[in-house]
Amino acid sequence: MRRRSFGHRLDHRFGHRGFGHRSDHSRGHPLGHAFPDRSRHPFEPGKLVAGLVILGVAAAYGMDAAGEWDVRPEIALPALLCGLCVAALTSALTYAFRRRSSRATPDD
């Protein structure tokens, strides 16, 4: 009986070649690892802002648990909500900017 790795069906369905596959991108690298293709995943500053806000609130609650700070929920939860609103605004502005800049480029 042949054993299959976890997720084999998904790898086959989406055209992935498996764990040991060396792509053309990896030939120049001494360890054989491919460099990440930065064109596939654009930078999203809204997600960065949201992550930093959540990490800040988590750090505040961690300091509260350690006994260093006294964090009141009346302050921390509105700060979290305001920070997430800033992250949403950042995402909306990024989307609008990218949409406008893609319309402004001349078509070949």
Side-chain angles (χ1 to χ4, degrees):
M1 173 182 245
R2 186 173 153 193
R3 297 179 74 185
R4 293 185 180 178
S5 64
F6 180 74
H8 179 267
R9 229 182 269 165
L10 292 177
D11 288 342
H12 177 68
R13 182 183 303 164
F14 294 112
H16 299 283
R17 294 193 176 159
F19 179 69
H21 177 70
R22 292 182 69 174
S23 67
D24 294 336
H25 301 309
S26 65
R27 289 186 182 158
H29 195 273
L31 295 177
H33 300 291
F35 292 107
D37 184 13
R38 299 286 182 207
S39 64
R40 289 182 52 197
H41 303 287
F43 175 65
E44 297 187 26
K47 290 183 179 181
L48 175 66
V49 171
L52 290 175
V53 166
I54 292 171
L55 281 175
V57 171
Y61 275 115
M63 294 294 282
D64 184 33
E68 298 293 322
W69 290 352
D70 183 29
V71 179
R72 296 183 310 178
E74 298 87 22
I75 302 297
L77 293 179
L80 176 67
L81 291 176
C82 289
L84 291 179
C85 287
V86 169
L89 180 64
T90 305
S91 291
L93 290 175
T94 303
Y95 174 75
F97 178 74
R98 287 184 182 165
R99 186 172 177 175
R100 181 179 290 200
S101 65
S102 69
R103 285 185 180 177
T105 57
D107 292 333
D108 292 338

XYZ file of all heavy atoms in Angstrom:
838
model
N 0.847 -1.172 0.000
C 0.000 0.000 0.000
C 0.891 1.234 0.000
O 1.802 1.351 0.803
C -0.909 -0.008 1.222
C -1.688 1.268 1.366
S -2.685 1.210 2.850
C -4.278 1.253 2.104
N 0.625 2.158 -0.883
C 1.426 3.367 -1.014
C 0.942 4.435 -0.048
O -0.249 4.723 0.001
C 1.330 3.859 -2.445
C 2.220 5.001 -2.731
C 2.178 5.309 -4.192
N 2.487 6.724 -4.331
C 2.312 7.414 -5.400
N 1.800 6.849 -6.455
N 2.631 8.676 -5.454
N 1.857 5.030 0.684
C 1.494 6.084 1.627
C 1.561 7.431 0.934
O 2.457 7.701 0.156
C 2.447 6.076 2.809
C 2.369 4.795 3.583
C 3.322 4.811 4.704
N 2.804 5.697 5.739
C 3.456 6.007 6.831
N 4.648 5.523 7.044
N 2.927 6.801 7.728
N 0.596 8.270 1.238
C 0.569 9.611 0.676
C 0.775 10.619 1.793
O 0.367 10.399 2.922
C -0.764 9.898 -0.001
C -0.980 9.054 -1.220
C -2.236 9.457 -1.890
N -2.437 8.634 -3.079
C -3.451 8.718 -3.864
N -4.403 9.573 -3.612
N -3.556 7.969 -4.924
N 1.381 11.724 1.418
C 1.583 12.770 2.417
C 0.289 13.547 2.626
O -0.614 13.519 1.802
C 2.688 13.726 1.968
O 2.291 14.392 0.789
N 0.231 14.240 3.750
C -0.937 15.049 4.067
C -1.098 16.143 3.021
O -0.152 16.823 2.671
C -0.772 15.668 5.455
C -1.929 16.528 5.859
C -3.123 15.962 6.235
C -1.819 17.900 5.834
C -4.185 16.747 6.598
C -2.876 18.696 6.195
C -4.067 18.119 6.583
N -2.284 16.319 2.516
C -2.562 17.360 1.540
C -2.205 16.986 0.114
O -2.130 17.840 -0.754
N -1.953 15.707 -0.142
C -1.568 15.290 -1.484
C -2.637 15.628 -2.508
O -2.339 16.034 -3.617
C -1.277 13.791 -1.496
C -0.907 13.277 -2.847
N -1.841 12.759 -3.695
C 0.275 13.239 -3.494
C -1.244 12.395 -4.817
N 0.030 12.679 -4.709
N -3.882 15.460 -2.141
C -4.969 15.740 -3.060
C -4.986 17.215 -3.465
O -5.175 17.557 -4.610
C -6.299 15.358 -2.426
C -7.131 14.509 -3.352
C -8.441 14.182 -2.730
N -8.305 12.932 -2.000
C -9.148 12.485 -1.120
N -10.195 13.193 -0.801
N -8.973 11.347 -0.536
N -4.786 18.098 -2.495
C -4.766 19.524 -2.796
C -3.564 19.894 -3.644
O -3.665 20.707 -4.551
C -4.761 20.340 -1.505
C -6.034 20.271 -0.676
C -5.859 21.060 0.601
C -7.214 20.794 -1.465
N -2.397 19.298 -3.343
C -1.220 19.574 -4.154
C -1.445 19.162 -5.597
O -1.082 19.874 -6.524
C -0.007 18.846 -3.592
C 0.476 19.461 -2.294
O 0.106 20.609 -2.013
O 1.238 18.787 -1.605
N -2.055 18.016 -5.794
C -2.306 17.540 -7.145
C -3.338 18.414 -7.856
O -3.187 18.733 -9.022
C -2.775 16.085 -7.087
C -3.118 15.527 -8.427
N -2.161 15.299 -9.371
C -4.315 15.186 -8.974
C -2.760 14.817 -10.460
N -4.051 14.736 -10.239
N -4.372 18.819 -7.149
C -5.454 19.597 -7.746
C -4.981 20.966 -8.199
O -5.351 21.465 -9.241
C -6.599 19.754 -6.754
C -7.772 20.525 -7.334
C -8.855 20.736 -6.337
N -9.328 19.466 -5.811
C -10.050 19.330 -4.722
N -10.376 20.384 -4.016
N -10.441 18.155 -4.308
N -4.106 21.594 -7.401
C -3.684 22.947 -7.715
C -2.349 23.012 -8.455
O -1.791 24.069 -8.650
C -3.614 23.799 -6.440
C -4.966 24.004 -5.838
C -5.285 23.439 -4.626
C -5.925 24.753 -6.491
C -6.524 23.615 -4.059
C -7.160 24.945 -5.930
C -7.467 24.370 -4.718
N -1.819 21.886 -8.856
C -0.633 21.872 -9.688
C 0.682 22.006 -8.940
O 1.696 22.304 -9.547
N 0.700 21.773 -7.633
C 1.943 21.837 -6.889
C 2.716 20.554 -7.135
O 2.156 19.498 -7.326
C 1.668 22.000 -5.392
C 0.923 23.259 -5.083
N 1.543 24.479 -5.072
C -0.373 23.487 -4.810
C 0.651 25.399 -4.780
N -0.520 24.831 -4.623
N 4.030 20.666 -7.101
C 4.838 19.510 -7.452
C 5.410 18.761 -6.275
O 6.166 17.842 -6.444
C 5.971 19.958 -8.359
C 5.453 20.446 -9.674
C 6.569 20.572 -10.635
N 6.036 20.953 -11.933
C 6.740 21.500 -12.856
N 8.004 21.763 -12.646
N 6.195 21.811 -14.008
N 5.111 19.162 -5.083
C 5.577 18.403 -3.941
C 6.739 19.058 -3.235
O 7.268 20.077 -3.652
N 7.188 18.423 -2.160
C 8.153 19.021 -1.259
C 9.552 19.103 -1.854
O 10.220 20.114 -1.751
C 8.183 18.228 0.046
C 9.167 18.754 1.027
C 8.966 19.976 1.629
C 10.302 18.041 1.342
C 9.866 20.476 2.538
C 11.207 18.531 2.244
C 10.985 19.751 2.837
N 10.026 18.082 -2.493
C 11.407 18.045 -2.946
C 11.650 18.666 -4.298
O 12.760 18.603 -4.812
N 10.687 19.273 -4.890
C 10.819 19.809 -6.244
C 11.696 21.046 -6.262
O 11.538 21.951 -5.461
C 9.444 20.158 -6.807
C 9.517 20.789 -8.163
N 9.888 20.081 -9.258
C 9.282 22.053 -8.565
C 9.864 20.884 -10.308
N 9.502 22.095 -9.905
N 12.651 21.093 -7.195
C 13.489 22.282 -7.366
C 13.027 23.009 -8.612
O 13.055 22.469 -9.703
C 14.943 21.882 -7.513
C 15.519 21.298 -6.264
C 16.947 20.962 -6.451
N 17.691 22.212 -6.564
C 18.996 22.272 -6.624
N 19.713 21.176 -6.595
N 19.608 23.429 -6.718
N 12.619 24.235 -8.440
C 12.151 25.014 -9.578
C 13.326 25.675 -10.288
O 14.457 25.645 -9.835
C 11.160 26.078 -9.111
O 11.829 27.022 -8.316
N 13.050 26.310 -11.398
C 14.077 27.020 -12.154
C 14.657 28.178 -11.354
O 15.790 28.579 -11.558
C 13.492 27.546 -13.461
C 13.103 26.416 -14.389
O 13.660 25.324 -14.265
O 12.244 26.650 -15.242
N 13.880 28.752 -10.445
C 14.330 29.892 -9.655
C 15.414 29.488 -8.659
O 16.183 30.315 -8.216
C 13.164 30.517 -8.889
C 12.067 31.002 -9.758
N 12.282 31.829 -10.832
C 10.740 30.772 -9.736
C 11.141 32.098 -11.416
N 10.190 31.458 -10.779
N 15.478 28.216 -8.300
C 16.386 27.798 -7.236
C 17.755 27.388 -7.755
O 18.628 27.086 -6.969
C 15.771 26.635 -6.462
O 15.657 25.511 -7.301
N 17.982 27.390 -9.029
C 19.253 26.869 -9.544
C 20.444 27.729 -9.150
O 21.529 27.224 -8.952
C 19.169 26.741 -11.057
C 18.261 25.631 -11.460
C 18.270 25.382 -12.922
N 17.324 24.320 -13.212
C 16.778 24.112 -14.361
N 17.055 24.902 -15.374
N 15.931 23.134 -14.529
N 20.266 29.034 -9.026
C 21.376 29.895 -8.687
C 21.670 29.983 -7.205
O 22.725 30.438 -6.807
N 20.785 29.539 -6.382
C 20.969 29.640 -4.939
C 21.753 28.434 -4.445
O 21.456 27.298 -4.804
C 19.608 29.717 -4.246
C 19.687 30.181 -2.831
N 19.913 29.303 -1.804
C 19.587 31.410 -2.293
C 19.949 29.974 -0.669
N 19.751 31.256 -0.941
N 22.784 28.650 -3.603
C 23.637 27.524 -3.199
C 22.928 26.446 -2.385
O 23.324 25.299 -2.446
C 24.736 28.194 -2.362
C 24.201 29.518 -1.966
C 23.222 29.917 -3.041
N 21.891 26.804 -1.651
C 21.197 25.790 -0.853
C 20.048 25.143 -1.606
O 19.391 24.254 -1.095
C 20.668 26.410 0.443
C 21.738 26.915 1.409
C 21.088 27.581 2.608
C 22.639 25.783 1.848
N 19.762 25.616 -2.799
C 18.704 25.025 -3.591
C 17.324 25.559 -3.290
O 16.346 25.053 -3.795
N 17.203 26.581 -2.432
C 15.905 27.156 -2.111
C 15.593 28.288 -3.073
O 16.457 29.078 -3.415
C 15.882 27.699 -0.672
C 16.147 26.647 0.347
N 15.254 25.640 0.615
C 17.204 26.432 1.158
C 15.745 24.859 1.555
N 16.941 25.313 1.896
N 14.352 28.353 -3.475
C 13.950 29.423 -4.371
C 13.748 30.706 -3.579
O 13.321 30.691 -2.435
C 12.653 29.052 -5.080
N 14.084 31.815 -4.200
C 13.786 33.100 -3.595
C 12.303 33.353 -3.725
O 11.682 32.962 -4.712
C 14.573 34.215 -4.279
C 16.045 34.142 -4.027
C 16.913 33.741 -5.009
C 16.559 34.456 -2.778
C 18.265 33.662 -4.778
C 17.913 34.382 -2.531
C 18.773 33.984 -3.531
N 11.677 34.012 -2.758
C 10.230 34.248 -2.850
C 9.897 35.173 -4.004
O 10.619 36.117 -4.291
C 9.878 34.882 -1.505
C 11.159 35.383 -0.956
C 12.251 34.546 -1.537
N 8.808 34.873 -4.669
C 8.346 35.681 -5.790
C 7.517 36.824 -5.225
O 6.386 36.634 -4.806
C 7.516 34.818 -6.742
C 7.090 35.584 -7.976
O 7.630 36.680 -8.207
O 6.232 35.072 -8.708
N 8.077 38.014 -5.171
C 7.416 39.163 -4.556
C 6.286 39.713 -5.422
O 5.506 40.526 -4.967
C 8.420 40.277 -4.282
C 9.508 39.870 -3.340
C 8.989 39.800 -1.948
N 10.095 39.453 -1.051
C 9.942 38.841 0.073
N 8.760 38.499 0.473
N 10.972 38.554 0.819
N 6.177 39.297 -6.662
C 5.114 39.813 -7.514
C 3.763 39.149 -7.229
O 2.737 39.658 -7.646
C 5.475 39.612 -8.983
O 5.563 38.237 -9.278
N 3.750 38.058 -6.506
C 2.496 37.353 -6.228
C 1.718 37.962 -5.085
O 0.505 37.923 -5.065
C 2.786 35.889 -5.899
C 3.230 35.104 -7.098
C 3.466 33.668 -6.767
N 2.323 33.094 -6.094
C 2.344 31.984 -5.404
N 3.472 31.334 -5.284
N 1.269 31.521 -4.824
N 2.412 38.512 -4.085
C 1.756 39.027 -2.897
C 2.167 40.472 -2.671
O 3.251 40.720 -2.149
C 2.126 38.181 -1.672
C 1.790 36.739 -1.838
N 0.499 36.276 -1.791
C 2.563 35.662 -2.065
C 0.502 34.971 -1.975
N 1.744 34.567 -2.151
N 1.314 41.404 -3.043
C 1.687 42.803 -2.841
C 1.674 43.177 -1.359
O 0.997 42.552 -0.544
C 0.609 43.579 -3.607
C -0.569 42.668 -3.610
C -0.003 41.267 -3.660
N 2.435 44.209 -1.037
C 2.492 44.705 0.334
C 1.154 45.328 0.689
O 0.602 46.123 -0.058
C 3.611 45.743 0.450
C 3.675 46.394 1.789
C 4.000 45.662 2.912
C 3.406 47.734 1.923
C 4.073 46.263 4.155
C 3.471 48.354 3.152
C 3.803 47.615 4.267
N 0.612 44.957 1.842
C -0.673 45.484 2.286
C -0.483 46.173 3.631
O -0.433 45.521 4.672
C -1.696 44.361 2.387
C -1.962 43.725 1.034
C -3.090 42.731 1.079
O -3.961 42.864 1.952
O -3.081 41.826 0.249
N -0.372 47.519 3.616
C -0.110 48.239 4.860
C -1.250 48.151 5.870
O -1.009 48.272 7.070
C 0.134 49.679 4.423
C -0.287 49.768 3.020
C -0.362 48.394 2.462
N -2.486 47.952 5.431
C -3.606 47.824 6.364
C -3.445 46.611 7.265
O -3.742 46.669 8.473
N -2.962 45.507 6.707
C -2.732 44.307 7.512
C -1.577 44.511 8.480
O -1.602 44.002 9.598
C -2.457 43.112 6.614
C -3.682 42.657 5.848
C -3.389 41.433 5.032
C -4.628 40.978 4.297
N -4.383 39.763 3.514
N -0.576 45.278 8.052
C 0.523 45.593 8.951
C 0.036 46.419 10.136
O 0.374 46.129 11.292
C 1.616 46.346 8.201
C 2.782 46.853 9.036
C 3.586 45.687 9.604
C 3.658 47.766 8.222
N -0.771 47.441 9.861
C -1.300 48.287 10.938
C -2.169 47.460 11.889
O -2.052 47.570 13.116
C -2.083 49.483 10.354
C -2.815 50.245 11.442
C -1.155 50.414 9.599
N -3.041 46.618 11.335
C -3.903 45.780 12.180
C -3.068 44.843 13.051
O -3.349 44.675 14.243
C -4.870 44.981 11.320
N -2.043 44.250 12.488
C -1.185 43.359 13.260
C -0.447 44.079 14.370
O -0.333 43.569 15.492
N 0.046 45.284 14.072
C 0.747 46.047 15.101
C -0.197 46.481 16.222
O 0.189 46.481 17.402
C 1.435 47.255 14.476
C 2.627 46.942 13.578
C 3.148 48.217 12.924
C 3.722 46.245 14.347
N -1.429 46.847 15.868
C -2.406 47.237 16.890
C -2.725 46.048 17.789
O -2.729 46.167 19.025
C -3.693 47.793 16.233
C -4.828 47.889 17.225
C -3.421 49.144 15.601
N -2.971 44.905 17.194
C -3.298 43.717 17.987
C -2.114 43.297 18.847
O -2.277 42.927 20.019
C -3.779 42.580 17.064
C -5.135 42.962 16.461
C -3.858 41.258 17.805
C -5.623 42.041 15.387
N -0.898 43.373 18.298
C 0.280 43.046 19.103
C 0.462 44.031 20.251
O 0.862 43.643 21.359
C 1.536 43.040 18.230
C 1.754 41.802 17.385
C 2.961 41.998 16.476
C 1.957 40.594 18.266
N 0.156 45.304 20.015
C 0.260 46.294 21.081
C -0.711 46.028 22.212
O -0.347 46.104 23.396
N -1.947 45.702 21.866
C -2.945 45.395 22.907
C -2.577 44.102 23.629
O -2.702 44.012 24.856
C -4.364 45.331 22.299
C -5.370 44.811 23.302
C -4.778 46.706 21.789
N -2.081 43.127 22.892
C -1.656 41.875 23.525
C -0.472 42.114 24.463
O -0.411 41.534 25.556
C -1.295 40.845 22.467
N 0.450 42.974 24.064
C 1.590 43.292 24.932
C 1.114 44.015 26.195
O 1.638 43.763 27.287
C 2.600 44.144 24.168
N 0.145 44.908 26.034
C -0.388 45.611 27.201
C -1.039 44.632 28.180
O -0.823 44.722 29.398
C -1.391 46.671 26.762
N -1.828 43.706 27.657
C -2.443 42.710 28.533
C -1.402 41.751 29.115
O -1.549 41.264 30.234
C -3.540 41.937 27.809
C -4.869 42.637 27.849
C -5.466 43.111 26.690
C -5.531 42.840 29.053
C -6.688 43.764 26.729
C -6.746 43.491 29.106
C -7.324 43.951 27.942
O -8.526 44.597 27.992
N -0.343 41.475 28.358
C 0.744 40.655 28.894
C 1.467 41.340 30.036
O 1.817 40.715 31.042
N 1.684 42.653 29.885
C 2.300 43.414 30.974
C 1.370 43.477 32.190
O 1.834 43.488 33.327
C 2.663 44.819 30.499
C 3.742 44.843 29.432
S 5.323 44.265 30.022
C 5.859 45.713 30.908
N 0.064 43.523 31.916
C -0.900 43.505 33.018
C -0.848 42.169 33.749
O -0.892 42.119 34.986
C -2.301 43.772 32.474
C -3.353 43.870 33.567
O -3.019 44.342 34.675
O -4.507 43.471 33.314
N -0.742 41.090 33.004
C -0.674 39.758 33.630
C 0.616 39.581 34.417
O 0.645 38.878 35.425
C -0.782 38.675 32.560
N 1.688 40.257 33.957
C 2.964 40.157 34.664
C 3.006 41.060 35.896
O 3.933 40.975 36.688
C 4.111 40.517 33.714
N 2.006 41.928 36.032
C 1.953 42.800 37.193
C 2.688 44.112 37.015
O 2.844 44.878 37.960
N 3.153 44.395 35.798
C 3.893 45.634 35.543
C 2.970 46.826 35.318
O 3.293 47.938 35.704
C 4.808 45.455 34.327
C 5.860 44.387 34.510
C 6.887 44.769 35.568
O 7.258 45.954 35.648
O 7.302 43.868 36.316
N 1.892 46.626 34.607
C 0.944 47.688 34.293
C -0.425 47.325 34.856
O -0.707 46.165 35.163
C 0.786 47.862 32.788
C 1.959 48.438 32.082
C 3.084 48.966 32.626
C 2.107 48.529 30.670
N 3.928 49.382 31.652
C 3.361 49.137 30.431
C 1.330 48.171 29.584
C 3.832 49.382 29.152
C 1.803 48.429 28.322
C 3.035 49.025 28.104
N -1.267 48.335 34.916
C -2.659 48.108 35.266
C -3.503 48.549 34.071
O -3.773 49.733 33.888
C -3.040 48.904 36.520
C -4.474 48.625 36.943
O -4.955 47.504 36.673
O -5.108 49.527 37.519
N -3.863 47.598 33.230
C -4.605 47.889 32.004
C -6.086 47.713 32.283
O -6.535 46.633 32.672
C -4.161 46.959 30.855
C -4.946 47.238 29.601
C -2.681 47.121 30.606
N -6.836 48.777 32.082
C -8.283 48.703 32.276
C -8.953 48.419 30.931
O -8.564 48.993 29.901
C -8.802 50.014 32.836
C -8.252 50.295 34.217
C -8.826 51.539 34.787
N -8.687 52.623 33.794
C -9.131 53.853 33.985
N -9.729 54.174 35.102
N -8.965 54.769 33.067
N -9.949 47.556 30.897
C -10.647 47.259 29.646
C -11.353 48.481 29.052
O -11.562 48.551 27.844
C -11.657 46.184 30.025
C -11.155 45.591 31.284
C -10.383 46.655 31.974
N -11.681 49.472 29.898
C -12.346 50.664 29.381
C -11.424 51.476 28.486
O -11.876 52.294 27.691
C -12.822 51.563 30.539
C -13.841 50.926 31.443
C -13.204 50.125 32.574
O -12.027 50.380 32.920
O -13.875 49.224 33.092
N -10.137 51.260 28.600
C -9.160 51.960 27.775
C -8.668 51.064 26.630
O -8.547 51.507 25.491
C -7.957 52.425 28.632
C -8.414 53.326 29.764
C -6.900 53.099 27.781
C -9.067 54.613 29.302
N -8.375 49.813 26.938
C -7.753 48.923 25.958
C -8.707 48.556 24.820
O -8.295 48.536 23.652
C -7.249 47.662 26.635
N -9.960 48.268 25.123
C -10.881 47.847 24.059
C -11.224 48.976 23.089
O -11.212 48.750 21.870
C -12.138 47.225 24.674
C -11.890 45.896 25.402
C -13.183 45.367 25.995
C -11.289 44.887 24.459
N -11.499 50.199 23.553
C -11.681 51.284 22.578
C -10.410 51.583 21.779
O -10.483 51.925 20.596
C -12.083 52.485 23.429
C -12.693 51.902 24.638
C -11.923 50.627 24.887
N -9.257 51.435 22.404
C -8.003 51.630 21.667
C -7.860 50.579 20.570
O -7.422 50.880 19.450
C -6.817 51.572 22.624
N -8.250 49.344 20.877
C -8.227 48.278 19.873
C -9.176 48.595 18.725
O -8.811 48.471 17.558
C -8.595 46.939 20.514
C -8.704 45.741 19.573
C -7.344 45.390 19.001
C -9.307 44.559 20.307
N -10.387 49.019 19.060
C -11.359 49.337 18.011
C -10.908 50.515 17.154
O -11.038 50.487 15.931
C -12.727 49.611 18.625
C -13.423 48.395 19.235
C -14.727 48.817 19.891
C -13.665 47.345 18.184
N -10.366 51.542 17.777
C -9.862 52.694 17.009
C -8.692 52.281 16.120
O -8.594 52.714 14.968
C -9.447 53.815 17.948
S -10.830 54.626 18.748
N -7.814 51.456 16.634
C -6.683 50.983 15.835
C -7.121 50.154 14.649
O -6.567 50.268 13.546
N -8.131 49.324 14.855
C -8.633 48.519 13.735
C -9.368 49.391 12.709
O -9.340 49.101 11.517
C -9.523 47.394 14.251
C -8.790 46.303 15.041
C -9.774 45.257 15.528
C -7.691 45.671 14.217
N -9.988 50.468 13.176
C -10.599 51.416 12.230
C -9.530 52.126 11.406
O -9.703 52.356 10.201
C -11.464 52.428 12.973
S -13.001 51.729 13.580
N -8.423 52.465 12.035
C -7.304 53.061 11.294
C -6.753 52.063 10.278
O -6.410 52.430 9.144
C -6.210 53.542 12.273
C -4.931 53.918 11.543
C -6.718 54.712 13.092
N -6.681 50.803 10.646
C -6.215 49.772 9.711
C -7.178 49.636 8.532
O -6.743 49.490 7.385
C -6.066 48.438 10.430
N -8.480 49.701 8.801
C -9.463 49.624 7.710
C -9.345 50.836 6.799
O -9.429 50.707 5.564
C -10.873 49.525 8.294
N -9.145 52.004 7.365
C -8.967 53.207 6.561
C -7.699 53.111 5.714
O -7.695 53.485 4.542
C -8.915 54.437 7.470
C -8.733 55.776 6.776
C -9.937 56.074 5.889
C -8.545 56.871 7.805
N -6.642 52.583 6.295
C -5.398 52.388 5.556
C -5.597 51.424 4.393
O -5.119 51.666 3.283
C -4.303 51.855 6.492
O -4.166 52.741 7.591
C -2.980 51.714 5.788
N -6.338 50.351 4.616
C -6.615 49.397 3.535
C -7.459 50.032 2.438
O -7.205 49.818 1.251
C -7.333 48.166 4.085
O -6.480 47.418 4.886
N -8.445 50.821 2.822
C -9.295 51.477 1.826
C -8.496 52.485 1.006
O -8.660 52.566 -0.222
C -10.471 52.167 2.516
N -7.629 53.239 1.654
C -6.806 54.201 0.919
C -5.806 53.505 0.005
O -5.559 53.965 -1.114
C -6.089 55.125 1.902
C -6.960 56.114 2.652
C -6.140 56.874 3.683
C -7.634 57.075 1.686
N -5.244 52.404 0.463
C -4.324 51.638 -0.377
C -5.044 51.087 -1.601
O -4.526 51.146 -2.725
C -3.701 50.488 0.427
O -3.057 51.023 1.568
C -2.713 49.698 -0.403
N -6.245 50.564 -1.398
C -7.039 50.043 -2.511
C -7.355 51.150 -3.516
O -7.204 50.962 -4.724
C -8.328 49.415 -1.986
C -9.275 48.989 -3.077
C -9.019 47.839 -3.831
C -10.409 49.725 -3.366
C -9.882 47.447 -4.833
C -11.275 49.344 -4.373
C -11.015 48.202 -5.094
O -11.864 47.821 -6.092
N -7.782 52.307 -3.006
C -8.116 53.415 -3.902
C -6.889 53.905 -4.663
O -6.962 54.188 -5.860
C -8.728 54.553 -3.105
N -5.757 53.976 -3.987
C -4.532 54.417 -4.639
C -4.101 53.434 -5.722
O -3.740 53.832 -6.825
C -3.422 54.585 -3.600
C -2.111 54.985 -4.200
C -1.900 56.277 -4.652
C -1.084 54.071 -4.316
C -0.693 56.645 -5.206
C 0.128 54.418 -4.870
C 0.326 55.717 -5.324
N -4.140 52.144 -5.433
C -3.737 51.145 -6.431
C -4.702 51.099 -7.604
O -4.287 50.903 -8.740
C -3.641 49.766 -5.778
C -2.432 49.654 -4.902
C -2.274 48.281 -4.327
N -1.105 48.255 -3.455
C -0.858 47.318 -2.604
N -1.682 46.289 -2.481
N 0.219 47.344 -1.856
N -5.982 51.283 -7.324
C -6.954 51.287 -8.410
C -6.745 52.489 -9.313
O -6.792 52.387 -10.522
C -8.362 51.284 -7.825
C -9.425 51.149 -8.859
C -10.761 50.955 -8.223
N -11.774 50.908 -9.258
C -13.020 50.653 -9.046
N -13.440 50.411 -7.835
N -13.872 50.629 -10.034
N -6.497 53.661 -8.707
C -6.268 54.870 -9.488
C -4.974 54.758 -10.299
O -4.937 55.145 -11.459
C -6.189 56.085 -8.588
C -5.967 57.370 -9.355
C -5.916 58.543 -8.459
N -7.247 58.766 -7.922
C -7.635 59.909 -7.405
N -6.795 60.916 -7.322
N -8.848 60.042 -6.949
N -3.923 54.211 -9.696
C -2.666 54.113 -10.415
C -2.730 53.071 -11.531
O -2.061 53.209 -12.546
C -1.517 53.777 -9.451
O -1.693 52.498 -8.898
N -3.559 52.022 -11.368
C -3.693 51.042 -12.453
C -4.498 51.606 -13.608
O -4.286 51.243 -14.758
C -4.337 49.764 -11.932
O -5.684 49.979 -11.596
N -5.430 52.518 -13.324
C -6.190 53.160 -14.405
C -5.340 54.185 -15.135
O -5.540 54.442 -16.307
C -7.410 53.864 -13.843
C -8.513 52.920 -13.462
C -9.694 53.721 -13.029
N -10.800 52.862 -12.654
C -11.943 53.305 -12.189
N -12.135 54.595 -12.030
N -12.891 52.462 -11.868
N -4.400 54.814 -14.442
C -3.593 55.874 -15.036
C -2.508 55.352 -15.957
O -1.997 56.095 -16.788
C -2.966 56.725 -13.937
N -2.131 54.086 -15.829
C -1.069 53.551 -16.686
C -1.602 53.354 -18.087
O -2.707 52.857 -18.298
C -0.545 52.213 -16.145
O -1.626 51.292 -16.033
C 0.111 52.390 -14.792
N -0.832 53.757 -19.097
C -1.301 53.604 -20.487
C -1.258 52.127 -20.902
O -0.367 51.376 -20.508
C -0.306 54.428 -21.294
C 0.912 54.494 -20.443
C 0.444 54.423 -19.013
N -2.252 51.745 -21.661
C -2.293 50.384 -22.180
C -1.420 50.279 -23.413
O -1.342 51.168 -24.231
C -3.727 49.993 -22.556
C -4.605 49.869 -21.335
O -4.063 49.580 -20.258
O -5.818 50.084 -21.464
N -0.721 49.161 -23.530
C 0.162 48.945 -24.696
C -0.604 48.484 -25.883
O -1.542 47.838 -25.895
C 1.244 47.939 -24.345
C 2.207 48.521 -23.329
O 2.308 49.748 -23.211
O 2.874 47.714 -22.685
